[in-house]
Amino acid sequence: MKNFVTFILSSILITFFAVFGTYIAEITNLIQFSEQSLEVKFEENGEDLIMTWQPIPYPCKYKIETVSRTSGTISGVPEYHLQSFARVEGTSFKVPRTAIPNYYFISAVGIFGGKIFEYEKPIANPNFPSPVAPVSIFKYTEENKASLMPFLVWHTVPDAVCYEVEILSSPPQIEGGIEPSKKNQLMITHSIFTNGYQVDLRPFKDEKEIYWRVRALNLHLKPVGEFSRAERIFIDENKPLPNCPLINNFDKEENFQQPVYPVYDWIPLNKADKYEIELSDHPPAVEFDTEPDPESLWRQIATDSSSRYDEYGRPYAGIYYWRVRALDEKNNPVGTWSHSGKFTMPDYTGGVDVAIFGDSISHGGGAVSYSPASLEYSYANYLDFPAVNISRSGDTSKTTAERFEKDVLPLKPKNLIILTGSNSLRSTLFTADDIISDLSKIERLCRRNNIRPIFLTLMPINPKGIFYVFHTPTDPNWKDKLKRVNRFIREQQYYIDIEPYFYDIYGDLSEDLSTDGLHPDIRGKMIIGEEINKHKDLFAFSEKKTDGENFPDKILNLLRKLKVI
């Protein structure tokens, strides 16, 4: 019996010291797999992309950091901006959906939380190849055949204004490249302003084989990169033709959060004249039906082929459901309602740290064709802290000031980022004094309600670009107005100066940063977000409650005090 007890005690002590030794080895970085190579693979799983890697030969969990490159313009800004991170127990990870090139850093922590491995090389998302080319999402194989009017869908190309789809009777002579095929082309069109197109293949149903490919174009229809790899479309002539638009969530950022003024994006039905959008606070009784919901919150007709801006703010917490259907020239329904999309509006009644208040530059969107639902064109997406976007496209400085009580006060923000006045700047109906008066009103309302106003200086505009895209002239005195308004902003207690980053050599908004001469594109929005991040000291953030040191840190500090390590 005595020997048995001794054996048990010895086993316990050995186990304890083995575990304790492992713990010390982990937290003091004695266990390291720095020389471990990492073979990473990507596999498509429907519309998702799965990243896998070989395991580390030690019990561990993995940390995946998803990052994007920063603009490279702002001094002192790191090379990468953290988009999100996740911890996984296995060796596979569903990468977040994204519309800009993302990269992944993989590290591993042991059973006691010590970092035992870090792969320092960024792993690139393969949906953004070099040279630039669209990557298809929908595949029509022998196992998944298309109808004679299939939707062709691909990942967006950053800053592309439109796309050109080419239908071929055989593979192109040269894969990729920037030139359309000369011998086997069946049709080609560039009237595509989103990342999908319903193609009509009925005229070509007698062809033995059909292939398709797509390339991105800029505002002047010049190639942005190359054609995608040509893919064969296997067809089932008896398959029903799709008769409703597609909700376009394909490249929406992970944890997509609509602005308080939502925007609805879809991929259009071939040759539809217009669209009807319906919003409800409950899911439809039947998906893909033909009748409107009599209890819907809002229903509007859109003449735009792929998006509709909600003219009402939706600040009330809850889940919202929306759907869209095509209409003909006489507003008669074509086909059925789409499958319903949904978004959640959080409960902001307890107050928020930061809100963003302004016009379309703050609302989001850019490169002519992208709405604020494309978060890659929102500077809020590049902030190091959360912010509620209560901006509204089309605002002048006057209409922004007029909706302060309705849109700002219910959120009770501690800080309000204010960027408005660009539409007033380009209009002859507003003087510099008018804009300054509107900004002064917003500043007074902030002070009266214990909100810290943080102004952003206005950016230059580009009258030539504005006229080319919007066919509207610009006030010839806009530069003088800009100078006076920004002088006023720089006199405020809290302001962030973004203006200097946006000029070209002629003193206008640089075409490298804005396609339409008014709204910054992706890199421009990155610059705004990064400059705000550099001035986080201007913000009054809520104090975060902490539980003090975690257990491993307490043990580590204790060992240091005892001079054990």
Side-chain angles (χ1 to χ4, degrees):
M1 183 68 180
K2 182 178 179 180
N3 290 337
F4 178 74
V5 173
T6 302
F7 171 77
I8 294 297
L9 290 175
S10 299
S11 299
I12 292 173
L13 286 172
I14 291 171
T15 301
F16 171 78
F17 282 111
V19 172
F20 187 71
T22 303
Y23 172 74
I24 296 299
E26 274 193 22
I27 64 175
T28 56
N29 297 325
L30 292 178
I31 297 179
Q32 286 291 307
F33 293 89
S34 56
E35 302 301 321
Q36 175 84 22
S37 62
L38 196 66
E39 183 182 349
V40 178
K41 296 180 180 179
F42 290 91
E43 298 177 359
E44 293 180 347
N45 182 17
E47 298 168 14
D48 293 318
L49 190 64
I50 308 299
M51 180 171 67
T52 60
W53 58 93
Q54 80 274 21
I56 301 297
Y58 183 83
C60 63
K61 293 182 180 180
Y62 297 91
K63 179 180 179 181
I64 314 297
E65 293 177 294
T66 300
V67 302
S68 59
R69 289 193 186 276
T70 51
S71 68
T73 301
I74 310 293
S75 63
V77 172
E79 182 180 1
Y80 296 99
H81 173 72
L82 179 66
Q83 297 283 359
S84 63
F85 74 90
R87 290 186 174 90
V88 296
E89 295 189 3
T91 56
S92 67
F93 173 64
K94 186 181 82 170
V95 303
R97 295 186 182 187
T98 178
I100 59 173
N102 273 356
Y103 304 84
Y104 312 99
F105 287 98
I106 300 178
S107 57
V109 294
I111 52 180
F112 294 106
K115 183 179 285 188
I116 61 171
F117 170 78
E118 185 172 17
Y119 192 64
E120 296 181 353
K121 194 174 180 180
I123 301 161
N125 186 311
N127 287 333
F128 300 90
S130 180
V132 173
V135 174
S136 66
I137 296 177
F138 284 8
K139 314 282 187 183
Y140 295 109
T141 63
E142 288 189 277
E143 294 75 26
N144 178 40
K145 292 184 178 180
S147 72
L148 283 168
M149 291 189 69
F151 279 101
L152 308 177
V153 183
W154 54 89
H155 293 288
T156 57
V157 172
D159 292 333
V161 173
C162 60
Y163 296 90
E164 185 170 56
V165 166
E166 186 178 45
I167 303 299
L168 307 167
S169 59
S170 62
Q173 301 96 317
I174 300 175
E175 196 66 71
I178 63 172
E179 296 297 331
S181 183
K182 296 179 179 179
K183 293 184 178 180
N184 49 3
Q185 184 186 100
L186 297 175
M187 66 159 283
I188 191 167
T189 178
H190 60 248
S191 300
I192 304 168
F193 297 93
T194 187
N195 58 311
Y197 175 63
Q198 188 188 26
V199 62
D200 188 354
L201 299 178
R202 289 174 295 184
F204 319 119
K205 66 179 182 179
D206 293 330
E207 296 288 337
K208 292 181 179 180
E209 295 181 352
I210 295 180
Y211 292 79
W212 76 281
R213 60 181 187 166
V214 59
R215 65 174 175 174
L217 303 176
N218 67 12
L219 181 63
H220 304 287
L221 304 183
K222 301 298 183 183
V224 178
E226 299 186 346
F227 271 104
S228 66
R229 178 173 291 278
E231 296 184 11
R232 184 177 174 183
I233 304 174
F234 289 86
I235 295 173
D236 178 357
E237 294 184 16
N238 297 316
K239 200 166 187 176
L241 305 181
N243 63 349
C244 64
L246 295 180
I247 300 293
N248 192 353
N249 288 327
F250 295 104
D251 280 336
K252 292 293 182 282
E253 302 283 335
E254 199 78 1
N255 303 317
F256 168 70
Q257 179 60 59
Q258 281 273 19
V260 169
Y261 282 84
V263 182
Y264 313 104
D265 287 352
W266 61 90
I267 293 176
L269 205 62
N270 190 295
K271 295 183 179 178
D273 187 68
K274 56 182 77 74
Y275 294 87
E276 185 176 26
I277 299 89
E278 181 180 78
L279 180 71
S280 302
D281 57 4
H282 55 271
V286 180
E287 293 281 10
F288 304 109
D289 64 345
T290 57
E291 297 299 321
D293 183 350
E295 298 179 354
S296 64
L297 300 173
W298 174 84
R299 192 182 303 115
Q300 286 292 334
I301 290 177
T303 54
D304 188 287
S305 65
S306 57
S307 65
R308 178 62 161 88
Y309 290 61
D310 197 329
E311 66 267 37
Y312 298 106
R314 307 290 173 183
Y316 305 107
I319 301 176
Y320 293 84
Y321 299 83
W322 71 278
R323 55 185 185 169
V324 58
R325 65 177 174 180
L327 304 176
D328 64 16
E329 297 86 348
K330 297 181 180 180
N331 290 346
N332 296 313
V334 177
T336 70
W337 288 101
S338 69
H339 186 275
S340 59
K342 70 176 182 178
F343 62 94
T344 300
M345 198 60 69
D347 184 0
Y348 297 127
T349 55
V352 300
D353 267 2
V354 183
I356 297 173
F357 191 49
D359 52 29
S360 55
I361 294 175
S362 294
H363 195 198
V368 180
S369 302
Y370 299 88
S371 81
S374 298
L375 294 189
E376 67 272 22
Y377 291 90
S378 171
Y379 65 78
N381 193 48
Y382 306 105
L383 297 179
D384 291 339
F385 49 86
V388 180
N389 193 338
I390 51 175
S391 302
R392 185 177 67 180
S393 293
D395 263 6
T396 61
S397 56
K398 185 176 188 295
T399 55
T400 299
E402 288 174 345
R403 61 186 181 87
F404 184 96
E405 294 185 358
K406 175 174 68 75
D407 288 342
V408 177
L409 293 186
L411 270 63
K412 300 187 285 289
K414 293 182 179 295
N415 310 271
L416 189 67
I417 297 174
I418 303 158
L419 177 58
T420 186
S422 292
N423 287 323
S424 304
L425 197 69
R426 65 190 182 97
S427 171
T428 56
L429 300 178
F430 298 89
T431 66
D433 288 335
D434 292 332
I435 302 171
I436 291 170
S437 175
D438 296 329
L439 297 180
S440 297
K441 179 181 178 181
I442 294 172
E443 195 270 345
R444 289 195 304 271
L445 288 169
C446 283
R447 299 290 186 183
R448 190 180 303 163
N449 291 280
N450 199 29
I451 298 169
R452 179 172 294 187
I454 300 176
F455 288 93
L456 305 186
T457 52
L458 300 188
M459 298 172 297
I461 56 181
N462 190 313
K464 182 179 177 181
I466 291 173
F467 189 82
Y468 188 89
V469 174
F470 301 109
H471 310 294
T472 56
T474 296
D475 186 345
N477 296 319
W478 73 267
K479 287 187 178 180
D480 180 65
K481 291 161 67 174
L482 175 68
K483 185 176 180 180
R484 292 185 57 197
V485 171
N486 280 348
R487 184 188 304 131
F488 165 80
I489 290 175
R490 293 185 182 103
E491 292 170 352
Q492 304 308 301
Q493 184 176 2
Y494 305 104
Y495 75 91
I496 298 173
D497 195 1
I498 63 172
E499 176 195 0
Y501 296 105
F502 287 89
Y503 282 101
D504 63 13
I505 60 175
Y506 306 106
D508 296 332
L509 176 56
S510 172
E511 293 182 4
D512 292 336
L513 298 174
S514 172
T515 300
D516 63 16
L518 180 63
H519 305 95
D521 297 332
I522 292 174
R523 184 162 162 258
K525 296 294 174 57
M526 285 181 177
I527 289 172
I528 297 174
E530 291 163 15
E531 187 64 17
I532 293 172
N533 290 337
K534 280 189 66 175
H535 294 84
K536 288 196 290 285
D537 59 308
L538 296 180
F539 291 78
F541 291 108
S542 300
E543 292 185 11
K544 293 183 178 180
K545 296 180 180 179
T546 62
D547 298 325
E549 291 180 308
N550 58 37
F551 180 72
D553 286 340
K554 287 181 179 179
I555 295 294
L556 188 59
N557 288 333
L558 177 61
L559 291 172
R560 284 173 177 154
K561 288 179 181 178
L562 295 175
K563 298 183 178 180
V564 175
I565 60 172

Coordinates of all heavy atoms in Angstrom, one line a residue, residues 505-564:
I505 N -1.1 68.4 -59.9 CA -0.1 69.5 -60.1 C -0.9 70.7 -60.6 O -0.3 71.8 -60.6 CB 0.9 69.1 -61.2 CG1 0.2 68.7 -62.5 CG2 1.8 67.9 -60.7 CD1 1.2 68.4 -63.6
Y506 N -2.2 70.6 -60.9 CA -2.9 71.8 -61.4 C -3.8 72.4 -60.3 O -4.5 73.3 -60.5 CB -3.8 71.4 -62.6 CG -3.1 70.7 -63.7 CD1 -3.2 69.3 -63.9 CD2 -2.3 71.5 -64.5 CE1 -2.5 68.7 -64.9 CE2 -1.6 70.8 -65.6 CZ -1.7 69.5 -65.7 OH -1.0 68.9 -66.8
G507 N -3.7 71.9 -59.1 CA -4.5 72.4 -58.0 C -5.9 71.8 -57.9 O -6.7 72.4 -57.2
D508 N -6.1 70.7 -58.6 CA -7.5 70.1 -58.6 C -7.3 68.8 -57.9 O -6.2 68.3 -57.5 CB -8.0 69.8 -60.0 CG -8.2 71.1 -60.8 OD1 -8.5 72.2 -60.1 OD2 -8.1 71.1 -62.0
L509 N -8.5 68.1 -57.6 CA -8.5 66.8 -57.0 C -7.8 65.8 -58.0 O -8.2 65.7 -59.2 CB -9.9 66.3 -56.8 CG -10.2 64.9 -56.3 CD1 -9.4 64.6 -55.0 CD2 -11.7 64.7 -56.0
S510 N -6.9 65.1 -57.5 CA -6.1 64.2 -58.4 C -6.9 63.1 -59.0 O -7.7 62.4 -58.3 CB -4.9 63.6 -57.6 OG -4.2 62.6 -58.4
E511 N -6.7 62.8 -60.3 CA -7.4 61.7 -61.0 C -6.9 60.4 -60.4 O -7.6 59.4 -60.6 CB -7.2 61.8 -62.5 CG -7.9 63.0 -63.1 CD -7.7 63.0 -64.6 OE1 -7.1 62.1 -65.2 OE2 -8.2 64.0 -65.3
D512 N -5.8 60.4 -59.8 CA -5.3 59.1 -59.3 C -6.0 58.7 -58.0 O -6.0 57.5 -57.6 CB -3.8 59.2 -58.9 CG -2.9 59.4 -60.1 OD1 -3.3 59.0 -61.2 OD2 -1.8 60.0 -60.0
L513 N -6.7 59.6 -57.4 CA -7.5 59.4 -56.2 C -9.0 59.4 -56.3 O -9.7 59.0 -55.4 CB -7.0 60.4 -55.1 CG -5.6 60.3 -54.7 CD1 -5.2 61.4 -53.7 CD2 -5.2 59.0 -54.1
S514 N -9.4 60.0 -57.5 CA -10.9 60.1 -57.7 C -11.2 59.9 -59.2 O -10.7 60.7 -60.0 CB -11.4 61.4 -57.2 OG -12.8 61.6 -57.5
T515 N -12.1 59.0 -59.5 CA -12.5 58.8 -60.9 C -13.4 59.9 -61.4 O -13.3 60.4 -62.5 CB -13.2 57.4 -61.0 OG1 -12.3 56.4 -60.6 CG2 -13.6 57.2 -62.5
D516 N -14.4 60.3 -60.5 CA -15.4 61.3 -61.0 C -15.1 62.7 -60.6 O -16.0 63.6 -60.9 CB -16.8 60.8 -60.4 CG -16.9 60.9 -58.9 OD1 -16.0 61.5 -58.2 OD2 -17.8 60.2 -58.3
G517 N -14.0 63.0 -60.0 CA -13.6 64.4 -59.7 C -14.2 64.9 -58.4 O -14.0 66.1 -58.0
L518 N -15.0 64.1 -57.7 CA -15.7 64.5 -56.4 C -15.5 63.5 -55.3 O -15.1 63.9 -54.2 CB -17.2 64.7 -56.7 CG -18.0 65.2 -55.5 CD1 -17.6 66.6 -55.1 CD2 -19.5 65.2 -55.9
H519 N -15.7 62.2 -55.6 CA -15.6 61.2 -54.5 C -14.3 60.4 -54.6 O -13.9 59.9 -55.6 CB -16.7 60.2 -54.7 CG -18.1 60.8 -54.8 ND1 -18.7 61.1 -56.0 CD2 -18.9 61.2 -53.8 CE1 -19.9 61.7 -55.7 NE2 -20.1 61.8 -54.4
P520 N -13.5 60.4 -53.5 CA -12.3 59.6 -53.5 C -12.6 58.1 -53.7 O -13.6 57.6 -53.2 CB -11.7 59.9 -52.1 CG -12.3 61.1 -51.6 CD -13.7 61.1 -52.3
D521 N -11.7 57.5 -54.4 CA -11.9 56.0 -54.6 C -11.2 55.3 -53.4 O -11.0 55.9 -52.4 CB -11.3 55.6 -56.0 CG -12.0 56.2 -57.1 OD1 -13.2 56.5 -57.0 OD2 -11.4 56.5 -58.2
I522 N -10.8 54.0 -53.6 CA -10.3 53.2 -52.5 C -9.1 53.8 -51.8 O -9.1 54.0 -50.6 CB -10.1 51.8 -52.9 CG1 -11.4 51.1 -53.3 CG2 -9.3 51.0 -51.8 CD1 -11.2 49.7 -53.9
R523 N -8.1 54.2 -52.6 CA -6.9 54.7 -52.0 C -7.2 56.1 -51.3 O -6.6 56.3 -50.2 CB -5.8 54.9 -53.0 CG -4.5 55.3 -52.4 CD -3.3 55.0 -53.3 NE -2.1 55.8 -52.9 CZ -1.7 57.0 -53.5 NH1 -2.4 57.4 -54.6 NH2 -0.7 57.6 -53.1
G524 N -8.0 56.9 -51.9 CA -8.4 58.1 -51.2 C -9.1 57.9 -49.9 O -8.9 58.6 -48.9
K525 N -10.0 56.9 -49.9 CA -10.7 56.6 -48.6 C -9.7 56.1 -47.6 O -9.8 56.3 -46.4 CB -11.8 55.7 -48.9 CG -12.9 56.2 -49.8 CD -13.6 57.4 -49.1 CE -14.6 58.1 -50.1 NZ -15.7 57.2 -50.7
M526 N -8.7 55.3 -48.0 CA -7.7 54.8 -47.1 C -7.0 56.0 -46.5 O -6.7 56.0 -45.3 CB -6.7 53.9 -47.8 CG -7.2 52.5 -48.2 SD -5.9 51.6 -49.0 CE -6.7 50.0 -49.2
I527 N -6.6 57.0 -47.3 CA -5.8 58.1 -46.8 C -6.6 58.9 -45.7 O -6.1 59.2 -44.7 CB -5.5 59.1 -48.0 CG1 -4.5 58.4 -48.9 CG2 -5.0 60.4 -47.5 CD1 -4.2 59.2 -50.2
I528 N -7.9 59.1 -46.0 CA -8.7 59.7 -45.0 C -8.8 58.9 -43.7 O -8.5 59.5 -42.6 CB -10.2 60.0 -45.5 CG1 -10.2 60.9 -46.7 CG2 -11.1 60.6 -44.4 CD1 -11.5 61.0 -47.4
G529 N -9.0 57.6 -43.8 CA -9.1 56.8 -42.6 C -7.7 56.8 -41.8 O -7.7 56.9 -40.6
E530 N -6.6 56.7 -42.5 CA -5.3 56.7 -41.9 C -5.0 58.0 -41.2 O -4.4 58.0 -40.2 CB -4.3 56.3 -43.0 CG -4.4 54.9 -43.4 CD -3.6 54.6 -44.7 OE1 -2.8 55.4 -45.1 OE2 -3.9 53.6 -45.4
E531 N -5.4 59.1 -41.9 CA -5.1 60.4 -41.2 C -5.9 60.6 -40.0 O -5.4 61.2 -39.0 CB -5.3 61.5 -42.2 CG -4.9 62.9 -41.8 CD -3.4 63.0 -41.6 OE1 -2.6 62.2 -42.1 OE2 -3.0 64.0 -40.9
I532 N -7.1 60.1 -40.0 CA -7.9 60.2 -38.8 C -7.3 59.3 -37.7 O -7.2 59.7 -36.5 CB -9.4 59.7 -39.0 CG1 -10.1 60.7 -40.0 CG2 -10.2 59.5 -37.7 CD1 -11.4 60.2 -40.5
N533 N -6.8 58.1 -38.1 CA -6.2 57.2 -37.1 C -5.0 57.9 -36.4 O -4.7 57.7 -35.2 CB -5.7 55.9 -37.7 CG -6.9 55.0 -38.1 OD1 -8.0 55.1 -37.6 ND2 -6.7 54.2 -39.1
K534 N -4.3 58.7 -37.2 CA -3.1 59.4 -36.6 C -3.4 60.4 -35.6 O -2.6 60.9 -34.8 CB -2.3 60.1 -37.8 CG -1.4 59.2 -38.6 CD -0.5 60.0 -39.5 CE 0.5 60.8 -38.7 NZ 1.5 61.5 -39.6
H535 N -4.7 60.8 -35.6 CA -5.2 61.8 -34.6 C -6.2 61.3 -33.6 O -7.1 62.0 -33.2 CB -5.7 63.0 -35.4 CG -4.7 63.8 -36.2 ND1 -4.3 63.4 -37.5 CD2 -3.9 64.9 -35.9 CE1 -3.4 64.2 -38.0 NE2 -3.1 65.1 -37.0
K536 N -6.0 60.1 -33.2 CA -7.0 59.5 -32.3 C -6.9 60.2 -30.9 O -7.9 60.2 -30.1 CB -6.6 58.0 -32.0 CG -7.0 57.1 -33.2 CD -7.1 55.6 -32.8 CE -5.7 55.1 -32.5 NZ -4.9 54.8 -33.7
D537 N -5.8 61.0 -30.7 CA -5.7 61.7 -29.4 C -6.8 62.8 -29.4 O -7.0 63.4 -28.3 CB -4.3 62.3 -29.3 CG -4.0 63.2 -30.5 OD1 -4.1 62.8 -31.6 OD2 -3.6 64.4 -30.2
L538 N -7.4 63.2 -30.5 CA -8.4 64.3 -30.5 C -9.7 63.7 -29.9 O -10.6 64.5 -29.6 CB -8.6 64.8 -31.9 CG -7.5 65.5 -32.6 CD1 -7.9 66.0 -34.0 CD2 -7.0 66.7 -31.7
F539 N -9.9 62.4 -29.9 CA -11.2 61.8 -29.6 C -11.3 61.6 -28.1 O -10.3 61.3 -27.4 CB -11.4 60.5 -30.3 CG -11.5 60.7 -31.8 CD1 -10.4 60.9 -32.6 CD2 -12.8 60.6 -32.4 CE1 -10.6 61.1 -34.0 CE2 -12.9 60.7 -33.8 CZ -11.8 61.0 -34.6
A540 N -12.5 61.7 -27.6 CA -12.8 61.4 -26.2 C -13.5 60.0 -26.2 O -14.7 59.9 -26.4 CB -13.7 62.4 -25.6
F541 N -12.7 58.9 -26.0 CA -13.3 57.6 -26.1 C -13.7 57.2 -24.7 O -13.2 57.7 -23.6 CB -12.2 56.6 -26.5 CG -11.9 56.7 -28.0 CD1 -10.6 57.3 -28.4 CD2 -12.7 56.4 -29.0 CE1 -10.3 57.4 -29.7 CE2 -12.4 56.5 -30.3 CZ -11.2 57.0 -30.7
S542 N -14.7 56.3 -24.6 CA -15.1 55.7 -23.4 C -14.0 54.9 -22.8 O -13.2 54.3 -23.5 CB -16.4 54.8 -23.6 OG -17.4 55.5 -24.1
E543 N -13.9 54.9 -21.4 CA -12.9 54.1 -20.8 C -13.3 52.6 -20.9 O -14.5 52.3 -20.6 CB -12.8 54.5 -19.3 CG -12.2 55.9 -19.1 CD -11.9 56.2 -17.7 OE1 -12.0 55.3 -16.8 OE2 -11.6 57.4 -17.4
K544 N -12.4 51.8 -21.3 CA -12.6 50.4 -21.4 C -12.3 49.7 -20.1 O -11.3 49.9 -19.5 CB -11.8 49.7 -22.5 CG -12.2 50.2 -23.9 CD -11.4 49.5 -25.0 CE -11.8 50.0 -26.3 NZ -11.0 49.3 -27.4
K545 N -13.3 48.9 -19.6 CA -13.1 48.2 -18.4 C -12.2 46.9 -18.6 O -12.4 46.2 -19.6 CB -14.4 47.7 -17.8 CG -15.3 48.9 -17.4 CD -16.6 48.3 -16.8 CE -17.5 49.5 -16.4 NZ -18.8 49.0 -15.8
T546 N -11.2 46.7 -17.8 CA -10.3 45.5 -17.9 C -10.4 44.8 -16.6 O -10.7 45.3 -15.6 CB -8.9 46.0 -18.3 OG1 -8.4 46.8 -17.2 CG2 -8.9 46.8 -19.5
D547 N -10.0 43.5 -16.7 CA -10.0 42.6 -15.6 C -8.6 42.6 -15.0 O -8.2 41.7 -14.2 CB -10.4 41.2 -16.0 CG -11.9 41.2 -16.4 OD1 -12.6 42.0 -15.9 OD2 -12.2 40.4 -17.3
G548 N -7.7 43.5 -15.4 CA -6.3 43.4 -14.9 C -5.5 42.4 -15.7 O -5.8 42.0 -16.8
E549 N -4.4 42.0 -15.1 CA -3.6 41.0 -15.7 C -4.3 39.7 -15.9 O -5.0 39.2 -15.1 CB -2.3 40.7 -14.9 CG -1.4 41.9 -14.8 CD -0.2 41.6 -14.0 OE1 -0.4 41.1 -12.8 OE2 1.0 41.8 -14.4
N550 N -4.0 39.0 -17.1 CA -4.5 37.7 -17.2 C -3.6 36.7 -16.4 O -2.5 37.1 -16.0 CB -4.7 37.3 -18.7 CG -3.3 37.4 -19.4 OD1 -2.3 37.1 -18.9 ND2 -3.4 37.8 -20.7
F551 N -4.1 35.5 -16.3 CA -3.3 34.5 -15.4 C -1.9 34.3 -15.9 O -1.0 34.3 -15.1 CB -4.1 33.2 -15.4 CG -3.4 32.2 -14.5 CD1 -3.4 32.3 -13.1 CD2 -2.8 31.1 -15.1 CE1 -2.8 31.3 -12.3 CE2 -2.2 30.1 -14.3 CZ -2.2 30.2 -12.9
P552 N -1.7 34.0 -17.2 CA -0.3 33.8 -17.6 C 0.6 35.0 -17.4 O 1.8 34.8 -17.0 CB -0.4 33.6 -19.2 CG -1.8 33.0 -19.3 CD -2.6 33.8 -18.3
D553 N 0.1 36.2 -17.5 CA 0.9 37.4 -17.2 C 1.2 37.5 -15.8 O 2.3 37.9 -15.4 CB 0.2 38.7 -17.7 CG 0.2 38.8 -19.2 OD1 1.0 38.2 -19.8 OD2 -0.7 39.5 -19.7
K554 N 0.3 37.1 -14.9 CA 0.5 37.2 -13.5 C 1.7 36.2 -13.1 O 2.6 36.5 -12.3 CB -0.8 36.8 -12.7 CG -1.8 37.9 -12.7 CD -3.0 37.5 -11.9 CE -4.1 38.6 -11.9 NZ -5.3 38.2 -11.2
I555 N 1.6 35.0 -13.6 CA 2.6 34.0 -13.3 C 4.0 34.5 -13.8 O 5.0 34.4 -13.2 CB 2.2 32.6 -13.9 CG1 1.0 32.1 -13.3 CG2 3.4 31.6 -13.8 CD1 1.1 31.8 -11.8
L556 N 4.0 35.0 -15.1 CA 5.2 35.4 -15.7 C 5.8 36.6 -14.9 O 7.0 36.6 -14.6 CB 4.9 35.9 -17.1 CG 6.2 36.2 -18.0 CD1 7.1 35.0 -18.1 CD2 5.7 36.7 -19.4
N557 N 5.0 37.5 -14.5 CA 5.6 38.6 -13.7 C 6.0 38.2 -12.3 O 7.0 38.7 -11.8 CB 4.5 39.7 -13.5 CG 4.3 40.5 -14.8 OD1 5.2 40.6 -15.6 ND2 3.0 41.0 -15.0
L558 N 5.3 37.2 -11.7 CA 5.8 36.6 -10.4 C 7.1 35.9 -10.6 O 8.0 36.1 -9.7 CB 4.7 35.6 -9.9 CG 5.1 34.9 -8.6 CD1 5.3 35.9 -7.5 CD2 4.0 33.9 -8.3
L559 N 7.3 35.2 -11.6 CA 8.6 34.5 -11.8 C 9.7 35.5 -12.1 O 10.9 35.3 -11.6 CB 8.5 33.5 -13.0 CG 7.6 32.3 -12.8 CD1 7.4 31.6 -14.2 CD2 8.2 31.4 -11.8
R560 N 9.4 36.6 -12.7 CA 10.4 37.6 -12.9 C 10.8 38.3 -11.6 O 12.0 38.6 -11.3 CB 9.9 38.7 -13.9 CG 9.9 38.2 -15.4 CD 9.2 39.2 -16.3 NE 9.3 38.7 -17.7 CZ 8.4 39.1 -18.6 NH1 7.4 39.9 -18.3 NH2 8.6 38.6 -19.8
K561 N 9.8 38.5 -10.7 CA 10.1 39.1 -9.4 C 11.0 38.2 -8.6 O 11.8 38.6 -7.8 CB 8.8 39.4 -8.7 CG 8.0 40.6 -9.3 CD 6.7 40.8 -8.5 CE 6.0 42.0 -9.1 NZ 4.7 42.2 -8.4
L562 N 10.7 36.9 -8.7 CA 11.5 35.9 -7.9 C 12.8 35.6 -8.6 O 13.6 34.8 -8.1 CB 10.7 34.6 -7.8 CG 9.4 34.7 -7.0 CD1 8.6 33.4 -7.0 CD2 9.7 35.1 -5.5
K563 N 13.1 36.3 -9.8 CA 14.3 36.1 -10.5 C 14.5 34.7 -11.0 O 15.6 34.2 -11.1 CB 15.5 36.6 -9.7 CG 15.5 38.0 -9.4 CD 16.7 38.5 -8.6 CE 16.6 40.0 -8.3 NZ 17.8 40.5 -7.6
V564 N 13.4 34.0 -11.2 CA 13.4 32.6 -11.8 C 13.7 32.7 -13.2 O 14.4 31.9 -13.8 CB 12.1 31.8 -11.5 CG1 12.1 30.5 -12.2 CG2 11.9 31.7 -10.0

